[in-house]
């Protein structure tokens, strides 16, 4: 059974702090790793899709790295703002399938 | 702009009722998915469809069925709702590997 784990489960930070979360996934049959941001009462929004070992992606204050050999990805938020408060989900895709395997998410709360 | 819509944001049903959750996408995507999300468990795949009238079971199909008569619409059916089906239900669609999600339906079965 393929398992994706995210840590920490939840996190409270002060406005302006930088923070990071981890997604661990099986390293065999890897195809892609996806990060989503899910705000309350909204649809999950795609942040990044990463496919290559060593990939680094950036979108504003948010960035992500990927290590497929050891099976982990980090998501970083620089200078957290209250609007960054959300659940951050990662999902793993294996070759030959369009199915995602999701982690349980990291709930981030940024305090003003 | 990409759009996936779900018929209801909140729904309250009684045990034993037949429940239909509707999902519509306007992107001409071939693949559509139904998930449920429960605290501490993440998103779990119930069913998915890779073409009209084609469907495959996901990880937790028990107690559910699906229907896809048209490419843009994918329905999740609870034949006889039970309290353990109280959950947040999310629909998604994809052309290939990137999935686009609807806003979710929070279903409460009493």
């Amino acid at each position: 059974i393929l398992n994706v784990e995210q840590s920490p489960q939840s996190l409270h930070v002060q406005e302006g702090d930088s923070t990071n979360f981890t997604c661990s996934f099986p390293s065999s049959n890897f195809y892609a790793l996806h990060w989503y941001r899910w705000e309350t009462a909204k649809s999950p929004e795609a942040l990044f899709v990463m496919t290559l070992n060593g990939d680094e992606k950036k979108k504003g204050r948010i960035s992500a790295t990927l290590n497929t050999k050891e099976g982990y990805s980090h998501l970083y938020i620089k200078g957290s703002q209250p609007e960054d408060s959300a659940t951050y989900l990662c999902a793993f895709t294996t070759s030959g399938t369009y199915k995602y395997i999701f982690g349980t998410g990291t709930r981030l709360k940024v305090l003003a | 702009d990409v759009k996936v819509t779900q018929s209801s944001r909140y729904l309250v049903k009684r045990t034993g009722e037949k429940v239909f959750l509707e999902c519509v996408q306007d992107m001409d995507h071939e693949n559509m998915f139904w998930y449920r999300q429960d605290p501490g468990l993440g998103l779990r795949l119930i069913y998915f469809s890779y073409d009209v009238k084609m469907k495959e079971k996901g990880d937790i199909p028990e107690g559910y069925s699906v229907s896809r008569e048209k490419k843009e619409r994918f329905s999740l059916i609870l034949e006889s709702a039970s309290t353990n089906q109280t959950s947040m239900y999310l629909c998604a669609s994809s052309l290939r590997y990137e999935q686009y999600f609807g806003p979710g339906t929070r279903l409460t079965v009493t």
Side-chain angles (χ1 to χ4, degrees), chain A residues 17-89:
Chain A
D17 287 351
S18 293
T19 186
N20 70 88
F21 335 126
T22 301
C23 173
S24 302
F25 53 86
S27 53
S28 58
N29 287 329
F30 174 86
Y31 181 81
L33 193 284
H34 307 258
W35 280 102
Y36 283 82
R37 175 171 56 204
W38 190 8
E39 295 177 68
T40 303
K42 294 187 178 178
S43 307
E45 171 200 359
L47 289 173
F48 304 115
V49 180
M50 295 187 287
T51 56
L52 297 174
N53 185 43
D55 250 356
E56 291 188 24
K57 299 266 177 138
K58 190 172 180 186
K59 188 176 183 176
R61 294 179 291 99
I62 305 177
S63 60
T65 60
L66 178 68
N67 184 323
T68 60
K69 295 187 179 189
E70 295 180 45
Y72 66 83
S73 174
H74 292 308
L75 187 80
Y76 302 91
I77 303 178
K78 190 175 176 183
S80 302
Q81 300 296 309
E83 58 265 30
D84 295 328
S85 297
T87 297
Y88 291 82
L89 296 170

Side-chain angles (χ1 to χ4, degrees), chain B residues 37-97:
Chain B
Q37 196 259 347
D38 299 290
L41 292 178
L43 286 170
R44 293 180 293 165
L45 182 65
I46 304 171
Y47 266 97
F48 71 102
S49 168
Y50 50 90
D51 202 350
V52 175
K53 296 191 189 292
M54 307 299 280
K55 61 187 179 188
E56 275 196 33
K57 292 180 181 178
D59 301 319
I60 50 163
E62 296 78 21
Y64 303 95
S65 62
V66 289
S67 171
R68 192 159 179 210
E69 297 295 321
K70 293 185 178 181
K71 193 174 188 180
E72 67 270 18
R73 188 179 297 268
F74 191 34
S75 303
L76 181 70
I77 303 156
L78 287 66
E79 295 289 341
S80 178
S82 63
T83 54
N84 63 13
Q85 292 178 310
T86 291
S87 188
M88 167 70 83
Y89 290 87
L90 276 170
C91 173
S93 74
S94 76
L95 184 58
R96 298 195 68 218
Y97 288 97

